[in-house]
Amino acid sequence: MSMRVNEKGLHHRSGRVKPVRVSLILTLCVLSLAACSASSIEQERKIYTREATDEGMDRAKSQGHGLNGPLIQELDDSFAAKGIKLMNNMSADDGEGGISYMYLLNGSGRHIVKVHIFSDVPTRVTRMNEMYGNGGDEAVMENGLGKTTIRSKAYVSLVYTASGGEKDDYEEDVIQVFQHVLEQLK
């Protein structure tokens, strides 16, 4: 037992300290349980509203492992078979269920392949019109700076842009790959 000294002499220390500590510990435990419970409720809400599934699908698509994975893998394999490496892979989510990938052919900034995957055909047509001024299945646009070739099918558009004096270096191979990959779509 601890003792304290005051003006009246030695006295036993008050027993009030222990209940205060116990009360504080219990309060912290209850708050922790409430926080865990709120977190669990939020996770359950995401499951029942499909938000968790949508978040997972978005992550998978941006990493090329979702439903678009086979398409991107086929594109990569087809270019590799022609001796062309797809390099500097970049991707962007459009916020409407679509995603775009961009590659440099053999690391050259003069040869760019873009893969636009949209949520549906009407969205593809609208977005391709906005981006390239053409929502059709095939287009070739050329100006003094370069040449852009577009091939589309269903909800996918493949775009090849070549610039500078090397405009025709990969064109034949790229068109063959585009046709092959689009034929794989059902």
Side-chain angles (χ1 to χ4, degrees):
M1 247 187 211
S2 70
M3 305 290 267
R4 65 182 176 142
V5 178
N6 66 12
E7 298 156 0
K8 297 182 181 180
L10 293 174
H11 295 287
H12 285 74
R13 183 167 279 218
S14 168
R16 292 185 186 173
V17 174
K18 286 185 182 180
V20 170
R21 286 185 184 162
V22 170
S23 174
L24 181 61
I25 290 170
L26 285 175
T27 302
L28 290 174
C29 288
V30 168
L31 290 174
S32 296
L33 285 174
C36 289
S37 179
S39 174
S40 296
I41 290 170
E42 179 64 16
Q43 288 174 346
E44 286 292 318
R45 183 194 63 76
K46 285 184 174 185
I47 290 170
Y48 290 115
T49 62
R50 283 192 39 92
E51 189 176 338
T53 302
D54 293 342
E55 286 175 3
M57 291 293 286
D58 288 342
R59 276 193 303 276
K61 279 196 267 184
S62 69
Q63 297 168 1
H65 302 299
L67 300 174
N68 303 323
L71 176 86
I72 298 302
Q73 188 61 52
E74 185 66 35
L75 186 77
D76 191 41
D77 292 346
S78 297
F79 274 112
K82 300 227 176 248
I84 301 170
K85 292 181 186 176
L86 295 178
M87 302 175 73
N88 300 73
N89 177 13
M90 292 178 271
S91 65
D93 184 347
D94 70 2
E96 297 177 357
I99 190 165
S100 294
Y101 299 91
M102 185 177 91
Y103 305 91
L104 303 180
L105 298 185
N106 287 330
S108 171
R110 293 179 183 262
H111 301 278
I112 300 169
V113 167
K114 293 181 185 176
V115 179
H116 300 290
I117 302 170
F118 301 98
S119 56
D120 53 44
V121 176
T123 302
R124 175 189 58 86
V125 171
T126 301
R127 296 294 176 261
M128 291 302 288
N129 268 325
E130 291 170 357
M131 290 187 284
Y132 299 98
N134 190 311
D137 288 347
E138 292 186 14
V140 176
M141 297 164 282
E142 192 166 5
N143 61 31
L145 299 175
K147 183 176 183 180
T148 298
T149 304
I150 300 171
R151 296 292 185 268
S152 300
K153 181 179 176 186
Y155 56 94
V156 176
S157 289
L158 304 174
V159 180
Y160 170 57
T161 302
S163 62
E166 307 168 5
K167 285 189 240 177
D168 300 323
D169 287 0
Y170 298 108
E171 184 173 18
E172 187 177 321
D173 289 334
V174 169
I175 297 305
Q176 289 174 4
V177 168
F178 281 8
Q179 287 175 296
H180 170 74
V181 169
L182 291 175
E183 286 171 5
Q184 306 308 306
L185 293 175
K186 294 180 170 67

